[in-house]
Each structure stands twice: as C-alpha cells, then as structure tokens.
C-alpha cells in the first residue's frame, strides 16, 4: 500500500530477513514476512522464517518448498477487501487501488495451489484498530475459495500449531483449554454462522462464560 513502489519490488535482502530471524530466535520466537511475489517468498524461505503472510503469487514450486521446509502460510485476505470497499473513506489513491485489484484473482489461484500441494494454511487478517469485529470476514473470504471446513481448520488447529500452542488450543479435546463458541448454525454448512459476530450465542474462555446472548447476561 505504499504510494510509489511497484508490487514487484523486493524490499528486504535475505541478509536483512536472516538478521531478524536470528534476533527473534534469541527471544524464543519467530518471524512472519508479509509478501506477495515469488522472489520475496523465496528470500523469506532462504532466511528461515516460520510463516509467510499473503503468499499471493503462489506456484507449485514455491508451495513444494514451503511444505518441505515446514513453513506456514497465512493468506491474509480481509485487509485488501476492506480497503477496496472503503477506498474513498480510507483516502486510497488510484495507483493503490490498481495494486489491490491486481492481486484479487492471483491470490485465489494461489490458495488453490496451496491446498493442492498440502501447504499448512493458518489464519490472520491484518485488521488493526477499531474494526476488530470484522475478523470473521477472513473465514468468509477463505471459505469462498477453499471451502468451509478448510477455512475452519486453518483458523483453529493449524493456527494453534503455528503459534506453538497445539498442545492446549485449536481442537476440542480432553486436557485442552476450554475456549469455545456456540453459534446459531452449523458453520460447515453456513460459514456466516461463525463469521458474523451477531450470530455468536455463547463464549467460553478458559472454561468460563464471558458472553451469553441467550439470556443477555454475562459473567467474567
Ligand atoms: Zn500483510
């Protein structure tokens, strides 16, 4: 979204990304890189990142390398949909709109390649600020391309694995933390049942009720 540089420009060297990876590891954590094009994805892989965000121009060769190296991809779709929708309010220039629009079809095809090659796909939205209640749209956008079940697994089990919490989050199992939501439909048939905040009826966080729409009371 920067105003003058082309989408195809490569903006970090492998050495720079590797320095970030080295420092992150010394803190016991890891690096995500936000990248759209193949050269930037390969630079990120050369440098040892744990996760690639967007991955718009994914092809089979890049996907196979990602799988072989145990790296995750977070397609991160919501932010560009939101920016295109709110283009005037957000003050977006024609050049920026052209960049956003050029990505739309490419990234849907990229996600199909990821599914086909078995890439570990997690979930994130790039949404910041006062619109956090739109995070569910990430499910909607993803499900439209790869189906409801894959979108749900990405947002739960695979994301728990990405963040190193597979032992206590991501699936409903004895011994895991009881973070659960009840919704008014089956998201395998109707993804909006989970994507739309108004349809979430009941929220358990760490085994405690933090939202109960059914009785309009909540305890924390
Ligand atoms: Zn991003």
């Amino acid at each position: 979204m920067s105003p003058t540089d082309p989408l195809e420009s490569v903006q970090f060297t492998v050495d720079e990304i590797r320095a970030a990876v080295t420092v992150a590891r010394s803190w016991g954590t890891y690096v995500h890189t936000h990248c759209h094009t193949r050269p930037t994805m390969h630079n990120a892989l050369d440098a040892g990142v744990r996760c690639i965000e967007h991955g718009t121009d994914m092809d089979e060769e890049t996907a196979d390398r990602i799988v072989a190296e145990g790296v995750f991809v977070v397609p991160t779709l919501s932010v560009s949909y939101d920016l295109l929708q709110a283009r005037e309010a957000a003050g977006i220039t024609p050049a920026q709109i052209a960049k956003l629009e050029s990505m739309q079809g490419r990234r849907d095809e990229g996600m199909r390649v990821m599914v086909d090659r078995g890439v570990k796909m997690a979930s994130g939205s790039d949404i910041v600020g006062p619109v956090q209640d739109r995070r569910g749209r990430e499910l909607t956008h993803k499900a439209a391309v790869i189906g409801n079940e894959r979108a749900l697994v990405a947002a739960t089990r695979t994301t728990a694995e990405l963040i190193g919490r597979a032992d206590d989050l991501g699936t409903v199992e004895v011994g895991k933390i009881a973070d659960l939501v009840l919704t008014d439909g089956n998201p395998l048939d109707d993804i909006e049942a989970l994507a739309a905040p108004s349809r979430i009826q009941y929220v358990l966080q760490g085994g405690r009720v933090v939202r109960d729409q059914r009785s309009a009371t909540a305890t924390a």
Side-chain angles (χ1 to χ4, degrees):
M1 288 303 291
S2 34
T4 55
D5 44 354
L7 195 65
E8 288 70 26
S9 61
V10 177
Q11 302 186 342
F12 286 91
T13 67
V14 174
D15 285 344
E16 288 173 310
I17 307 168
R18 190 176 286 130
V21 169
T22 301
V23 173
R25 283 182 183 155
S26 76
W27 280 70
T29 185
Y30 55 87
V31 170
H32 291 234
T33 51
H34 290 239
C35 40
H36 296 286
T37 63
R38 292 168 199 165
T40 57
M41 287 191 262
H42 283 277
N43 279 0
L45 293 167
D46 287 345
V49 306
R50 181 167 171 82
C51 185
I52 289 171
E53 305 273 324
H54 304 285
T56 306
D57 279 337
M58 189 67 63
D59 64 346
E60 292 182 354
E61 181 204 341
T62 310
D64 289 349
R65 189 176 168 200
I66 284 169
V67 171
E69 298 182 15
V71 170
F72 294 77
V73 176
V74 173
T76 315
L77 312 172
S78 301
V79 65
S80 55
Y81 280 98
D82 273 10
L83 286 170
L84 280 172
Q85 220 170 32
R87 56 183 80 185
E88 280 167 27
I92 298 175
T93 68
Q96 289 170 313
I97 289 170
K99 271 203 273 192
L100 283 168
E101 287 180 336
S102 79
M103 292 174 2
Q104 301 288 89
R106 289 151 65 183
R107 73 172 172 210
D108 287 357
E109 181 53 31
M111 272 198 295
R112 291 187 193 101
V113 171
M114 291 178 218
V115 168
D116 186 50
R117 310 308 282 189
V119 170
K120 289 193 284 192
M121 188 187 293
S123 188
S125 64
D126 268 6
I127 289 176
V128 297
V131 289
Q132 301 293 318
D133 62 351
R134 291 190 201 157
R135 284 184 178 189
R137 306 259 58 86
E138 192 67 24
L139 281 170
T140 314
H141 298 317
K142 207 181 262 130
V145 182
I146 64 169
N148 295 9
E149 184 171 359
R150 286 196 184 93
L152 288 169
V153 170
T156 53
R157 186 172 71 200
T158 314
T159 297
E161 189 187 341
L162 165 62
I163 65 172
R165 298 287 302 273
D167 288 342
D168 59 358
L169 295 174
T171 56
V172 181
E173 288 178 76
V174 173
K176 289 197 170 183
I177 293 170
D179 281 353
L180 300 166
V181 296
L182 294 182
T183 181
D184 68 358
N186 181 354
L188 288 173
D189 303 322
D190 172 15
I191 199 70
E192 289 300 316
L194 203 53
S198 62
R199 295 184 60 183
I200 304 297
Q201 301 292 303
Y202 191 79
V203 179
L204 268 181
Q205 187 178 49
R208 305 178 73 184
V209 180
V210 296
R211 174 186 166 110
D212 188 351
Q213 282 293 98
R214 300 168 308 170
S215 60
T217 58
T219 53

